[in-house]
Amino acid sequence: MSAAAGRRLAPGPLEYGRRAWMRLTLLATFVFLYAPIATLIAFSFNDSRRNIVWRGFTFKYYEKAWNNDSLIEAFVNSLTIAFVSTLASTVLGTLAAVALWRFRFPFKGPHEAAMALPIVIPEICMGVAMLAFFARIGWPTGLPWPLNLGAITIAHISFSFPFVAVVVRARLANFNRELDEAARDLGASEWQAFRDVLVPYMLPGLVAGALLAFTLSLDDFVITFFTSGPDTVTFPVKVYSMVRFSVTPEVNAASTVLIAITLLITGIALWLQGRSGARQLPGKG
Amino acid sequence: MDTWHAHRRAFWTFFLPPTAWLVLFFLAPLALVWGFSFGEKRGLVEIAINGTLENYVRALDPLYLRIFGKSFWFAALTTLICLAVGFPVAVAITFAPPRWKPILLLLTILPFWTNLLIRTYALIAVLRTRGYVNFAAEWGWERADAALAWVGLGDLHLLGERFEPLAMLYNNTAVVFGLVYVHLPFMVLPLYAALDRLERSYLEASLDLGASQLRTFASVVVPLALPGIVSGVIITFIPALGSFLTPDLLGGTDSQMIANVIERQFKSANDWPFGAALSFLLMYVTFFALALRAAASRGRSAMEAA
Amino acid sequence: MKEVRGASTEPPIVEIRGVTKRFGAGRPAVDSVDLEIPRGELFALLGPSGCGKTTLLRMLAGFETPTAGEIRIDGADVAGVPPNRRPVNMVFQSYAVFPHMSVFDNVAYGLKVTGAPVAERRERVREALGLVRLDGLEARKPDQLSGGQRQRVALARALVKRPRVLLLDEPLSALDAKLREAMRLELVNLRIAVGITFVFVTHDQDEALSMADRIAVMEHGRVRQVADPAALYEYPSCRFVADFIGKVNLFEASASAGRDREGRLVLEVPGLGALPVPHPEPVQQGEIGLAVRPEKLRLGESRPDAEIVFEATVEDFAYYGSETRLFLVTEGGVRLSATVPNTDRGPVRIERGARRFVSWAPADTLVLTE
C-alpha cells in the first residue's frame, strides 16, 4: 500500500487524513473537546483561591476536599451504590444476554425492545418515573445506612443491566456453538458445559460489562437526582449543589478524582475488550 | 438457537430474573407515570387517575408550546452543528493511517465516559465572567491598553474605560454551545461506522470515471452514508431534546427546555400529573425518532440485499 | 476382502432404521435412511451440501433427535439418550478445541467431567497425545497451535474417551490442500491403530474415495448408494452417483433395440446410433441412461478396430499437468469429454479443430436405470 514510504508525497486522492485542512479540523475538534476538562484538571493543582492565575503547584484543594465530610460521605455513598449496582447488573445482564442469545420464545421482539428502553429513553423520563414509583409504593425513607441507598441502587440497576446485556450479547454473537456441543459430547452435563465453556468464554464481556455498569452508576446524575433524598446524597448530586453555589478549586479537585477513576476503569475495559477481540478463534459462522 | 420449551428449566433460569426486574423496576414505574399523565391532583400527594386529557391539553398552552418549540430548536441546531463539525471529523478518522485510527476513535469516545456534570462544570469554569476565557481576554485587553498608553493614546480610552467581561454564560448561546460540546461524540461515531463500511472502490470508481472530489462526495459518499447520517442525527437529537443538566446549569431564565419544566412539576411545583404528561410527550417524540431510525436501517438492509 | 467383514456374524456397531428428520415443514433433511455400519469400518457419508449427511451424523451424536426411526449403537437403542451419555465421540468441523484450556486440559476434559481419577486421567491423556503425535505440547494453549495440531487435539480429546464409534464432521475441510492430503493417510492409519469404527462426513469425493472402506452417497436426505470406493466409481447405481463421483459422459437412450447374438443389450442413443452393452439384468423400456468415464475413451488419428468408434472434432482442450482434457463433438453432434494422461514430456500435440477417432469398449459402458 504505502509505496515510497521514505519520501513525502502529495496526499493520494483518498488520503483525506493527510490533507492539511482535515488535520486542522481534527485538531480543533479535540481542542474543543478537551481544553475545558484539561483546564479544570490543571487548575485543581493551582495554589490560588481566585483560581485563574497560576501561582504554583499544590495538593491543598485535594486535602480540603478530603477533609470535607459531606463530600466524602457522598463519595462513599456513590462507591457503595456503584458496587452493589454493578454486581446485580452483571448477573441480571448476563442472564438476559444468554436468554436472548440461546432461546427462541414467543414475543421475543417486544421483549428485546423493552430491554433496550432503559438505554434509549430520555434520562429525565426515567428519573421522574423512579421518583413517582418509590413515592407511590411508599418506599421507606430514613433507614440506616446503607439500606437508605436502596432506591437509588434499584434505579441504577434498572438502567445499567441492559447495557451489560448488550455487551455480553455482542461477545456471545461470536461464540462457536460447537464448543458447547463438544463439551456435551465429551460427557459434560448441561450445567457443566455452561460453567466450563460458556462462562469462561463470556468472561471478557462480563468484565467489560461490569466496568461499564460501574462507571454508569458512578457518573449518573439525572436519575439519581430524582431518587435521592437529603440524607442520601451521591457524589454527582453533591457536586451539583456545590456547582450551583460557586466554582471552587475543591470542586475541581473532586472532579479530577472522579475523572481519574472513570478513565482508569474505561481503560481497563477497553484493554480487556481489545485483548478478547484479538483472540478470536477460527470457527464457523 | 433452542426453542424455549425444549429446555424449560434452563430457559426460566435465564429468562425470569432479568425480565422480572425489568417489569417491576422499570416498566411498572413508566406505566405509573403514564397513568399519572391521565390523572388529576387531589391534595398534596394524592393523585386520582381518572382518564382526563386535561394535562395534555394544558401542554398545548402557548407558554409550554413555546418551551417545546425552543427545545426542538435547540436540539435541531445542536444536531446541525454536530453534523457540520462531525462529518469532516468522521471522514478524517476513516481515512487516517491505520495505526492512528484507534487513537483518534478513543479520543472521540473518551469524553463520553467522563461525567456529564463535570464536563458541564468545566464549561462553566471556562466561560463564566471570572473564568479562564475572560481572564485571557482581560489580560489581552490590559496589554493592548498599555500599548495604547505607551504610544500616547492612553487618555482616549479607545478600548473603553475598563475591561468589560464577555457574558458567555446563562443565555441561549451557552446552552447550544454546551449541547454541542456534550453531544458531538454521539454524531461522530455512527458517521464513522457508516463511512468505514463504505467500499473505497466506489469512491475510486467515481474518481476514475471523471467526477471531481466534490462531486464524488455529493453523489457517492453522502447517499451511501445516508443511513449513518440518519442514525447520527437521531442519536444526537434524542438526548439533546431531553437535556436537563445543560440548560439547567448553562442557561438563563429564558433558556429552559422541556426537561427543566418536567423537573419543576415534579419537584418545586408539585404537579405530577402535568409533569407526567410532559414527560410522556417527550417519550412519544423519542419513540417516533427511533421508529424513523429503524425504518432507515431497514431501508439500508433492503438496499444491501438487492 | 471387504465383503467378508460385512458378512461376519458380529452385529453391526451402528444400525440406522427408517430414520427421518424434519426441521419444520417441507422436505425432510433426512428421509427414511437405513444403514448398517460394521465394526471397525472407516465409513464415509458423502454428498453435496444440504444432503442431510451432517444431520445424520448429529443424530448419531445425539445433538438432533430423529423425527421417526430407530438408531442402535452397539446393539442398544439410543433414543432419548443425551449426547453426554452416548458411547460415541465427535471431532467437530471447527475442531471446537476449548480456547481457554491448555492442550492437556482439553484432552483431559472428557475424563474430568465423568470423574476419572487424576492418575488415570494423566496416563490416558499421555497415551492419546502420543497416538496423535502431540507429545510435549501438553502445556500449549490452542492459539499457539497450527490448524493441523488443533485437529490432532480434537482427535485425541475424542479418542481418549475410548468411544465405540468416532464421528468426524468434515474433518479435513479446515486444512490447507497439502496438509489435507497428508492427514488422509494419517487418519486411516490412526483408525487401524485404535481399531475403532470411524464415521466421517465429507462433501469431497476424493477424500471419501481415498480414505473410506465404504461410502454412503446421499442426496436430498436419502441414501442413494452404499458401496466400497471402486464399486461406487465403476458401478454407480444411478445418474446422480455417476455424475457426483468423478466425471462422466452421460447419454440418454431413446429406445432399446433388444439383445444381440452375444446376449448384450443394444441401446439406441440419438446421435451415436446403436450401442451394445453387456447388461444381463432385464431392463424396463424407456428412461435408460448410458455413461462412460472420460478416461475410458481412446483417441486415435486413424480408425481403430473397435465396435464403438466415432469420428469427432476437438472443440477445446485444457491442460492439467498430469493429464489433458479434451472436449470433442461427434459428427452426430454429440459432445464427449475425454481425459488423456500426459505420459510423455513435451508440448501438447493437439489443436482445436483436429479430427480424432474416439472409441471405447462396450464393457466400459454403464447402464443407469435410475
Side-chain angles (χ1 to χ4, degrees):
Chain A
M1 281 289 280
S2 65
R7 273 181 299 158
R8 278 277 165 205
L9 297 173
L14 289 185
E15 290 183 304
Y16 300 112
R18 282 187 56 200
R19 283 162 197 260
W21 68 273
M22 278 288 183
R23 292 180 166 182
L24 222 63
T25 313
L26 267 184
L27 189 70
T29 309
F30 288 133
V31 168
F32 167 66
L33 286 177
Y34 285 95
I37 300 175
T39 331
L40 177 129
I41 293 172
F43 279 88
S44 73
F45 298 107
N46 183 17
D47 191 4
S48 153
R49 187 79 215 167
R50 256 184 90 224
N51 208 352
I52 42 183
V53 190
W54 184 260
R55 293 212 195 285
F57 188 86
T58 180
F59 271 123
K60 77 174 176 203
Y61 296 109
Y62 286 86
E63 211 180 301
K64 258 201 170 131
W66 179 252
N67 289 325
N68 183 337
D69 284 344
S70 62
L71 195 64
I72 290 299
E73 191 194 310
F75 196 67
V76 170
N77 281 349
S78 272
L79 287 180
T80 312
I81 294 166
F83 271 118
V84 179
S85 157
T86 300
L87 213 64
S89 307
T90 307
V91 172
L92 290 173
T94 305
L95 291 176
V98 175
L100 287 170
W101 167 76
R102 184 170 157 191
F103 296 105
R104 248 191 320 260
F105 52 89
F107 301 109
K108 189 168 174 179
H111 188 277
E112 274 180 80
M115 198 67 92
L117 267 190
I119 299 174
V120 298
I121 68 166
E123 282 184 299
I124 183 91
C125 297
M126 190 160 168
V128 300
M130 289 299 170
L131 170 66
F133 176 72
F134 286 117
R136 185 68 167 203
I137 63 169
W139 187 264
T141 52
L143 293 170
W145 195 90
L147 296 177
N148 58 353
L149 302 174
I152 303 178
T153 310
I154 288 173
H156 281 204
I157 295 168
S158 290
F159 72 71
S160 299
F161 90 85
F163 280 95
V164 178
V166 168
V167 173
V168 174
R169 207 176 162 197
R171 170 99 187 134
L172 279 175
N174 289 321
F175 180 72
N176 175 3
R177 272 166 206 261
E178 286 193 343
L179 289 174
D180 184 61
E181 290 179 346
R184 301 272 288 135
D185 184 69
L186 292 168
S189 68
E190 225 176 302
W191 158 246
Q192 279 172 323
F194 176 73
R195 186 196 61 195
D196 296 342
V197 176
L198 200 63
V199 170
Y201 178 83
M202 285 192 296
L203 204 59
L206 234 74
V207 175
L211 293 170
L212 176 61
F214 194 81
T215 53
L216 282 173
S217 168
L218 206 59
D219 278 353
D220 179 72
F221 166 72
V222 175
I223 293 163
T224 315
F225 182 57
F226 285 95
T227 33
S228 68
D231 59 337
T232 54
V233 171
T234 67
F235 190 72
V237 173
K238 178 71 189 168
V239 171
Y240 176 75
S241 64
M242 288 167 86
V243 168
R244 303 222 71 169
F245 190 61
S246 72
V247 174
T248 67
E250 265 161 280
V251 182
N252 284 15
S255 305
T256 305
V257 171
L258 195 62
I259 291 176
I261 293 176
T262 324
L263 287 190
L264 183 72
I265 292 170
T266 311
I268 297 172
L270 288 174
W271 178 69
L272 280 172
Q273 260 167 343
R275 220 180 49 153
S276 70
R279 277 186 168 218
Q280 288 299 338
L281 280 173
K284 58 175 177 185
Chain B
M1 214 175 279
D2 301 329
T3 22
W4 71 279
H5 50 74
H7 309 262
R8 275 168 208 272
R9 242 192 37 213
F11 172 73
W12 287 116
T13 315
F14 288 111
F15 178 82
L16 201 59
T19 308
W21 186 284
L22 191 76
V23 170
L24 204 61
F25 294 121
F26 179 74
L27 296 179
L30 277 191
L32 182 69
V33 172
W34 192 64
F36 280 175
S37 75
F38 300 102
E40 202 181 311
K41 207 179 125 190
R42 303 238 174 96
L44 208 58
V45 287
E46 194 155 340
I47 294 162
I49 298 170
N50 53 10
T52 174
L53 288 175
E54 205 182 303
N55 299 308
Y56 289 97
V57 173
R58 202 175 137 204
L60 297 177
D61 182 294
L63 174 68
Y64 297 110
L65 276 186
R66 236 174 50 80
I67 291 174
F68 262 96
K70 178 168 260 172
S71 301
F72 270 94
W73 167 238
F74 281 178
L77 196 61
T78 301
T79 309
L80 204 70
I81 297 173
C82 283
L83 184 62
V85 178
F87 211 107
V89 171
V91 171
I93 297 178
T94 311
F95 292 95
R99 75 200 147 87
W100 275 95
K101 258 181 167 177
I103 300 170
L104 294 175
L105 271 178
L106 187 67
L107 282 174
T108 315
I109 302 171
L110 219 49
F112 247 163
W113 293 77
T114 334
N115 195 306
L116 172 66
L117 178 64
I118 291 173
R119 274 187 294 158
T120 313
Y121 166 64
L123 278 186
I124 298 179
V126 170
L127 297 179
R128 73 197 170 116
T129 44
R130 307 284 325 144
Y132 309 124
V133 168
N134 267 319
F135 175 70
E138 186 176 5
W139 185 84
W141 182 88
E142 277 167 6
R143 292 296 165 283
D145 199 48
L148 286 175
W150 187 73
V151 296
L153 296 170
D155 297 336
L156 296 172
H157 293 297
L158 286 175
L159 294 168
E161 288 279 344
R162 277 182 298 119
F163 171 72
E164 290 296 333
L166 304 162
M168 287 175 292
L169 270 188
Y170 313 121
N171 55 40
N172 295 346
T173 318
V175 174
V176 175
F177 186 83
L179 288 176
V180 171
Y181 180 65
V182 169
H183 292 104
L184 189 57
F186 284 93
M187 181 64 90
V188 175
L189 290 181
L191 286 180
Y192 165 77
L195 288 173
D196 199 46
R197 255 204 317 265
L198 201 128
E199 281 278 349
R200 301 284 163 104
S201 48
Y202 293 144
L203 307 190
E204 287 166 350
S206 170
L207 293 172
D208 181 64
L209 293 169
S212 66
Q213 290 272 6
L214 218 61
R215 187 62 207 263
T216 301
F217 178 80
S219 47
V220 178
V221 179
V222 172
L224 286 176
L226 202 60
I229 296 174
V230 172
S231 191
V233 162
I234 288 168
I235 283 182
T236 312
F237 184 80
I238 293 175
L241 184 67
S243 287
F244 166 72
L245 205 56
T246 315
D248 185 63
L249 289 180
L250 301 181
T253 44
D254 190 36
S255 11
Q256 298 292 292
M257 291 175 71
I258 317 168
N260 307 98
V261 182
I262 296 174
E263 187 253 355
R264 212 175 316 128
Q265 302 312 317
F266 274 90
K267 289 219 151 170
S268 47
N270 199 23
D271 188 348
W272 288 18
F274 182 50
L278 290 176
S279 149
F280 259 85
L281 284 173
L282 187 56
M283 291 266 285
Y284 299 144
V285 176
T286 306
F287 290 151
F288 179 70
L290 287 173
L292 272 185
R293 182 168 165 236
S297 71
R298 244 199 307 284
R300 178 182 61 209
S301 42
M303 204 168 78
E304 274 165 7
Chain C
M1 282 287 284
K2 276 152 191 147
E3 306 308 318
V4 174
R5 196 195 299 150
S8 78
T9 50
E10 250 188 307
I13 189 87
V14 176
E15 294 165 85
I16 298 170
R17 300 211 187 292
V19 164
T20 295
K21 175 67 185 178
R22 290 178 182 278
F23 295 105
R27 201 169 50 201
V30 172
D31 194 356
S32 6
V33 165
D34 292 295
L35 272 181
E36 283 188 3
I37 302 172
R39 243 166 250 276
E41 223 175 47
L42 180 44
F43 190 89
L45 292 168
L46 172 68
S49 64
C51 71
K53 57 192 191 298
T54 298
T55 308
L56 191 59
L57 193 77
R58 288 171 61 82
M59 285 194 281
L60 292 179
F63 293 118
E64 309 287 353
T65 322
T67 314
E70 185 189 52
I71 296 175
R72 287 180 170 275
I73 295 172
D74 206 8
D77 187 352
V78 291
V81 180
N84 49 335
R85 298 192 193 286
R86 291 196 181 198
V88 300
N89 286 104
M90 184 140 158
V91 173
F92 289 83
Q93 187 175 10
S94 68
Y95 310 145
V97 174
F98 304 128
H100 57 291
M101 294 182 197
S102 67
V103 169
F104 180 91
D105 291 340
N106 259 287
V107 179
Y109 184 78
L111 302 174
K112 195 173 137 201
V113 287
T114 45
V118 177
E120 187 197 333
R121 264 188 244 167
R122 200 167 300 137
E123 180 51 33
R124 279 172 70 177
V125 169
R126 202 189 50 75
E127 196 181 300
L129 286 176
L131 209 55
V132 297
R133 298 192 284 108
L134 276 184
D135 337 56
L137 298 185
E138 286 86 350
R140 292 269 187 99
K141 280 292 188 78
D143 56 3
Q144 298 167 309
L145 298 177
S146 68
Q149 287 171 325
R150 273 204 288 272
Q151 187 191 37
R152 289 159 196 269
V153 174
L155 272 167
R157 188 175 68 176
L159 288 174
V160 81
K161 299 272 295 178
R162 295 180 185 150
R164 265 7 112 64
V165 182
L166 184 74
L167 308 171
L168 302 104
D169 185 7
E170 299 272 4
L172 305 178
S173 66
L175 301 177
D176 62 60
K178 275 253 157 50
L179 197 54
R180 203 178 309 162
E181 198 83 12
M183 271 316 280
R184 280 184 197 171
L185 261 173
E186 213 173 308
L187 275 178
V188 172
N189 291 333
L190 186 66
R191 202 215 52 75
I192 294 166
V194 295
I196 294 173
T197 311
F198 280 23
V199 177
F200 77 103
V201 152
T202 181
H203 65 275
D204 182 341
Q205 40 153 323
D206 289 342
E207 212 166 282
L209 292 176
S210 62
M211 288 167 65
D213 293 325
R214 281 198 312 148
I215 300 169
V217 182
M218 292 184 70
E219 185 203 13
H220 299 327
R222 287 172 172 276
V223 172
R224 302 308 303 261
Q225 188 174 2
V226 186
D228 64 72
L232 208 58
Y233 185 78
E234 300 293 357
Y235 302 99
S237 67
C238 60
R239 289 177 182 82
F240 173 77
V241 175
D243 196 33
F244 185 73
I245 308 230
K247 294 187 172 47
V248 74
N249 292 296
L250 255 173
F251 319 112
E252 294 300 323
S254 61
S256 162
R259 297 195 178 257
D260 62 8
R261 271 168 304 157
E262 295 165 43
R264 298 179 304 184
L265 200 61
V266 180
L267 294 165
E268 187 73 28
V269 176
L272 294 179
L275 300 179
V277 203
H279 188 77
E281 297 85 11
V283 287
Q284 301 272 316
Q285 203 46 265
E287 294 296 296
I288 299 170
L290 281 180
V292 58
R293 300 283 185 193
E295 74 275 11
K296 305 283 197 280
L297 267 55
R298 307 256 176 280
L299 296 185
E301 288 178 32
S302 55
R303 179 176 286 273
D305 179 23
E307 251 185 301
I308 303 174
V309 57
F310 304 99
E311 198 172 356
T313 311
V314 176
E315 272 207 320
D316 213 340
F317 65 91
Y319 177 74
Y320 282 87
S322 63
E323 61 188 38
T324 300
R325 288 184 200 156
L326 291 96
F327 302 93
L328 307 114
V329 57
T330 65
E331 282 168 333
V334 176
R335 281 170 205 285
L336 295 169
S337 71
T339 310
V340 182
N342 294 330
T343 44
D344 299 325
R345 215 166 161 187
V348 180
R349 278 175 298 113
I350 195 93
E351 57 197 30
R352 288 177 183 80
R355 315 274 300 165
R356 288 288 186 277
F357 289 95
V358 182
S359 61
W360 68 86
D364 287 336
T365 320
L366 303 162
V367 176
L368 303 167
T369 51
E370 260 184 65

